[in-house]
Amino acid sequence: MNWIIGIGVGILIGYLLDREIYFYEGVHLGPRVQAWLYDRWSKKYDEGKRKSQLRDAEMLARPLLDLLKDIPEPFVLDFATGTGRLAYTLLSQPEFKGHIIALDLSQGMLEQAVAKMQGLDAGRGDPAPTGANIEFLRHIALPLPFADSTFDVVCCLEVLELFPNMDEPLAGLTRVLRPGGVLLSTRGTEESGRKAKVRSKADYGALLKKYGVDEFQITPWWKLFDRVIAIKNGTAATTVGVTAKRLSAVLRCGACGQTHWREGAGVMKCQNCGKELSVTKEGIVLN
């Protein structure tokens, strides 16, 4: 009898673990386990998303560029960039002249993003490579290492549902977005199957308002997600957007909190306290 119970318990544990890993993507296992899982999935991550990416220029890049037409060089945070989906479609638009900080907890996913941007350069024979317009940061967990109102645009696609709750990431994302800035996010739909994580459109809107975003539009995107474009309350102090446009000018040192870095071969060093961050051969800063 005991062996039957043991088998039953083993099957149940296996089911729950499989569901946690492949359905909820390790959300309850902590960010370091999540990073390890995404590292393992990174090389094949895009295979299941080809169909949903067909309209990225129409649904992601074009609306952002329209909203940013008065900002010559917008500073963009692509939070949980993954394999660089948003960055890729933005940098594919010739009129985008801004700078992107692509942040993710997985070094493997960022390596795929770097390769994707290099492929974009090679495909169009651009003498001014996209590397001049994008930097990559591996950052494991919240809070975000940036000051208030650092970015003109903050993007977080298909990720809020993967947090234990949405309040913490939304509070951090809206904090680093300047007044009048654009928040591009997604709402998991009822068809996603993650019933415990789905917020109705009304509830999602209430959550945005809670964090200082009253103006927003929720638009059907693809089966599992709606696109949400929102404008943070307030107006920018300048019509040209934020002034700092490089990671070394905005990244807060984890040791002293300052933003004074010196960039060298394979390393970034805080000029205030001497803390060093490794930079991989792909150019990914490991925070």
Side-chain angles (χ1 to χ4, degrees):
M1 186 65 178
N2 288 340
W3 67 270
I4 296 177
I5 295 174
I7 291 174
V9 170
I11 291 173
L12 177 61
I13 292 174
Y15 168 78
L16 293 174
L17 187 60
D18 180 78
R19 185 173 176 82
E20 172 62 32
I21 292 175
Y22 294 105
F23 192 71
Y24 286 107
E25 301 185 20
V27 63
H28 302 105
L29 302 178
R32 295 191 180 278
V33 175
Q34 274 189 297
W36 177 79
L37 289 171
Y38 281 117
D39 285 346
R40 291 176 58 87
W41 297 333
S42 60
K43 292 183 179 179
K44 295 185 177 181
Y45 186 79
D46 278 342
E47 291 181 1
K49 295 181 175 289
R50 304 293 186 195
K51 187 176 180 180
S52 70
Q53 292 172 352
L54 295 176
R55 299 176 64 203
D56 282 359
E58 170 196 352
M59 295 295 290
L60 303 178
R62 297 312 316 174
L64 276 182
L65 289 172
D66 288 343
L67 289 168
L68 297 169
K69 62 182 183 296
D70 295 327
I71 307 296
E73 298 180 357
F75 196 26
V76 180
L77 172 64
D78 187 15
F79 175 76
T81 187
T83 60
R85 177 179 188 169
L86 185 278
Y88 181 86
T89 192
L90 263 184
L91 291 169
S92 297
Q93 311 303 310
E95 60 267 51
F96 179 74
K97 306 299 181 184
H99 192 80
I100 301 171
I101 303 299
L103 180 153
D104 203 273
L105 53 69
S106 164
Q107 183 175 335
M109 295 289 266
L110 288 169
E111 288 171 358
Q112 295 302 307
V114 171
K116 187 180 291 185
M117 304 311 148
Q118 292 172 340
L120 176 62
D121 290 338
R124 68 188 186 187
D126 194 342
T130 55
N133 298 88
I134 185 169
E135 294 175 275
F136 300 90
L137 175 65
R138 197 237 14 220
H139 184 71
I140 295 292
L142 295 172
L144 293 169
F146 307 110
D148 297 358
S149 304
T150 295
F151 298 95
D152 298 304
V153 181
V154 172
C155 304
C156 53
L157 301 179
E158 303 181 12
V159 68
L160 293 176
E161 291 77 14
L162 300 181
F163 283 85
N165 66 76
M166 294 185 188
D167 287 83
E168 185 181 13
L170 273 177
L173 294 167
T174 53
R175 178 185 66 79
V176 302
L177 180 64
R178 67 163 173 82
V182 181
L183 175 67
L184 172 63
S185 67
T186 48
R187 184 195 76 93
T189 68
E190 287 70 17
E191 292 186 70
S192 68
R194 293 174 173 145
K195 294 182 179 179
K197 296 291 183 179
V198 169
R199 295 288 190 103
S200 68
K201 292 181 180 180
D203 286 346
Y204 194 88
L207 194 59
L208 290 174
K209 291 180 179 180
K210 179 179 178 180
Y211 293 105
V213 181
D214 289 336
E215 182 183 344
F216 60 88
Q217 184 179 49
I218 301 176
T219 304
W221 181 19
W222 64 289
K223 181 180 178 181
L224 303 183
F225 289 93
D226 290 338
R227 183 200 68 193
V228 185
I229 294 180
I231 307 297
K232 183 177 176 179
N233 298 349
T235 55
T238 171
T239 58
V240 298
V242 297
T243 54
K245 304 291 184 182
R246 297 287 300 179
L247 181 62
S248 60
V250 299
L251 179 65
R252 280 181 166 172
C253 175
C256 69
Q258 299 301 306
T259 57
H260 304 292
W261 298 90
R262 183 173 69 249
E263 300 179 67
V267 68
M268 279 179 57
K269 185 174 182 179
C270 176
Q271 297 185 67
N272 184 63
C273 71
K275 178 181 175 64
E276 294 186 351
L277 300 179
S278 296
V279 181
T280 71
K281 65 181 187 297
E282 295 86 3
I284 301 166
V285 178
L286 304 179
N287 191 30

